[in-house]
Amino acid sequence: MKLRFLSIFAAAALLAACESAPSDTGNKGSTAATTPPAAAKSIAPGSKDDFVANVGDRVFFDFDKSSLRADAKATLSKQAAWLKQYGSYTMTIEGHADERGTREYNLALGEKRANAVKEFLAANGVAASRVKVVSYGKERPVALGSNEAAWSQNRRGVTVLN
Amino acid sequence: MTRIRSFVALVAVFVLGMVAALPVGAEVRIDITRGQMKPLPIAIPEFAGSSGQESQIGKDIARVVSADLERSGLFKPIDPKAFIQTVASLQVQPRFPDWKAINAEGLVVGKLDNTPDGRVRVEFRLWDVFAEAYMTGWTLSASPNDWRRLAHKVADAIYKRVTGEDGYFDTQIVYIAESGPKNDRKKRLAIMDQDGENHRFLTDGSELVLTPRFSPSSREITYLSYYRGVPRVYIFNLDTGRREALGNFPGMTFAPRFSPDGNKVAFNMAEDGNTEIYEMNLLTRQKVRLTTNSAIDTAPSYSPDGQQIVFESDRGGGQQLYVMSAGGGGQNRISFGDGRYGTPVWSPRGDLIAFTKQKGGQFFIGVMRPDGSGERLLAEGFLVEGPTWAPNGRVLAFFRESPSDERGRGQSVRLYTIDLTGSNERVLLTPVDGSDPAWSPLIP
């Protein structure tokens, strides 16, 4: 779990560092055309780690909302570009909610969030046939605290590559 | 001023309690529609048995009957150490002055015999001590292994005779047993008697399970399982141990609940992110869609006559309660208070709908009439959720979760029961944390 946290933070830092989508010029196996950040040196382009670290596998939602925020759309645009380049991946979009709601409502809300991600990816060229969705409602938090900082991390849609 | 007022209130409660317990005619009676009543003092000596094994069961039955009645908050079993008359002489004839002397208003006299076919036969009588009158009683036989059920049936009979309402002690509770850290929580389906005894796990924790609910026969449970990673509604048969999926649907299915006749299950299915309420006929395996709305519609619960369904929807902006006919027609909003309303559950009596409310950062368990009037909040907390009714519609169970810090410390999830009046809130002890309770009907 700790490791996963680190990778999230790394991803966030990397996203902040590079303004444009990661290079889509490099073929698999070639040395990276752009200068990758030091932390990502050992990550193979086109790998799941590459997706998590250099694209960002998750987007966040406002309380009780399933509409995509501007930061979410930016991340998902990068996801779509990467997923078009590496077209052999299928994926499951997980929709999650924070603990400040009732169980069944949060299951429905998680489903809406996952679908919002799926639809954005589809509109940006990722075939819907590659994408499954699953809602976990409030059952799978990543941040443990009962406070807004934790809740804002738990209200999320995660693109999990198969 | 406040002192006097609270004193007056106390006296009022006391007097009401006395009046309720001893109305004109001096019959032992409790009016349970009043909150904060004085519990009725009752003496429950051990049930007499001739052999060693019978004597042990007789002691155990008296203990379980006492515990049931005490937990209801309506009775105050008297400490057996105060008893004057012996169990042996009690079998001949109650000596009422001995029981008046310790202020027992009710007296339970019971005995056990072994029948030739190896069963145990229990006979009990409830006496009104001050009227010196017989109130109720019966004789029942069962396997010695079922002595707990016999005890619960004694408690049910006493509760019914004294309150005029059906009891709820010979029942079970199914719930979700929880363990492990918050971000890797293991959840298991578990079942127990309403007093926490005869506890057993029904699933092994390898899959996430949620929201179990009993069928009207108490022999089946419908619930949500993430078996093989796909969230779907299942039905578990307690007699055979078998479980089957409600159906093979394209989207997530969840929020199941049996109809009162047991022939249908109302549930949710998600398609393209939109959750709608459906009804599956278990005999024909046909499903009917009941809602058509782009908002979240979930958590259906039937009225006891099966004619209506209450559910929650955010079609009006926030999460609110709606009632529709069982066929899906006439969908009307019933909750209009401040805050959000969810998890509606229709009382088995039909008179009320219990719900979870969120307002001002707090959660509440409350009830309102099916037309939305008469809202009353019964319990409050950082997170209280998921009310379920005891079969007599007088008691509810729910779960209460505490907040945790950033390392997950402080988290606990416990089951509670509370009287419909909002008094007598009690922890329902479980071996591990528990959530999503569902109370069975009286066991047939």
Side-chain angles (χ1 to χ4, degrees), chain B residues 76-272:
Chain B
K76 184 170 172 256
I78 294 167
D79 185 345
K81 291 194 194 82
F83 296 169
I84 301 163
Q85 188 175 18
T86 63
V87 170
S89 85
L90 191 54
Q91 297 305 314
V92 183
Q93 176 69 39
R95 221 161 40 228
F96 292 109
D98 285 4
W99 300 100
K100 287 178 196 169
I102 59 170
N103 292 315
E105 292 183 28
L107 169 65
V108 180
V109 181
K111 67 170 181 177
L112 297 87
D113 299 300
N114 281 324
T115 63
D117 58 351
R119 292 162 73 82
V120 57
R121 183 173 54 214
V122 168
E123 179 185 331
F124 98 94
R125 289 169 186 221
L126 172 66
W127 295 91
D128 182 332
V129 170
F130 285 82
E132 302 192 2
Y134 168 83
M135 291 186 77
T136 192
W138 48 237
T139 303
L140 275 180
S141 65
S143 155
N145 296 331
D146 285 337
W147 67 268
R148 283 188 171 278
R149 286 201 60 195
L150 287 171
H152 294 314
K153 284 179 179 296
V154 170
D156 279 334
I158 295 168
Y159 183 98
K160 179 165 190 175
R161 182 62 183 84
V162 174
T163 68
E165 307 273 350
D166 284 334
Y168 56 93
F169 303 116
D170 187 22
T171 56
Q172 290 181 299
I173 287 175
V174 63
Y175 74 103
I176 298 298
E178 302 191 10
S179 55
K182 203 171 177 177
N183 57 351
D184 188 20
R185 199 77 164 149
K186 183 177 278 196
K187 295 200 171 189
R188 285 182 285 179
L189 199 56
I191 192 169
M192 61 189 179
D193 295 351
Q194 53 76 29
D195 58 357
E197 297 293 335
N198 286 324
H199 185 281
R200 65 189 169 110
F201 295 106
L202 301 176
T203 63
D204 62 8
S206 60
E207 64 207 63
L208 174 62
V209 291
L210 300 168
T211 63
R213 282 95 193 229
F214 276 104
S215 70
S217 73
S218 303
R219 303 316 303 159
E220 291 177 308
I221 295 161
T222 186
Y223 65 108
L224 171 62
S225 170
Y226 281 70
Y227 178 63
R228 292 184 173 163
V230 182
R232 290 204 289 184
V233 171
Y234 289 82
I235 295 176
F236 186 100
N237 186 304
L238 285 168
D239 294 322
T240 64
R242 278 196 59 217
R243 66 119 175 250
E244 60 172 330
L246 182 64
N248 192 13
F249 304 116
M252 167 172 76
T253 49
F254 64 110
R257 214 176 272 277
F258 279 100
S259 64
D261 64 8
N263 292 331
K264 287 171 277 187
V265 170
F267 66 103
N268 263 121
M269 185 161 75
E271 265 181 306
D272 302 325

Side-chain angles (χ1 to χ4, degrees), chain B residues 402-416:
Chain B
S402 61
S404 61
D405 69 13
E406 67 283 357
R407 291 168 66 179
R409 291 173 303 198
Q411 191 203 20
S412 85
V413 190
R414 308 289 289 275
L415 303 185
Y416 285 78

Side-chain angles (χ1 to χ4, degrees), chain A residues 64 103 135 138-139 144, chain B residues 187 226 340 382 385 404 436:
Chain A
D64 196 22
R103 198 173 313 287
S135 172
K138 60 177 172 177
E139 305 305 314
L144 302 185
Chain B
K187 295 200 171 189
Y226 281 70
R340 300 145 56 88
F382 166 75
E385 186 182 338
S404 61
D436 291 7

Side-chain angles (χ1 to χ4, degrees), chain A residues 28-110:
Chain A
K28 270 190 217 178
S30 72
T31 52
T34 54
T35 52
K41 252 180 190 159
S42 60
I43 293 175
S47 67
K48 290 180 188 177
D49 287 346
D50 179 34
F51 181 74
V52 173
N54 297 327
V55 179
D57 67 342
R58 63 197 59 202
V59 296
F60 302 100
F61 293 86
D62 288 336
F63 175 71
D64 196 22
K65 293 285 189 290
S66 56
S67 51
L68 297 170
R69 305 191 313 220
D71 59 336
K73 287 178 179 171
T75 301
L76 292 177
S77 295
K78 292 173 194 164
Q79 285 192 7
W82 193 96
L83 290 165
K84 278 188 286 185
Q85 186 186 354
Y86 302 108
S88 60
Y89 282 108
T90 60
M91 68 218 79
T92 302
I93 316 280
E94 297 177 354
H96 298 271
D98 67 28
E99 64 184 350
R100 303 311 284 160
T102 50
R103 198 173 313 287
E104 288 168 344
Y105 184 86
N106 276 353
L107 287 171
L109 182 60

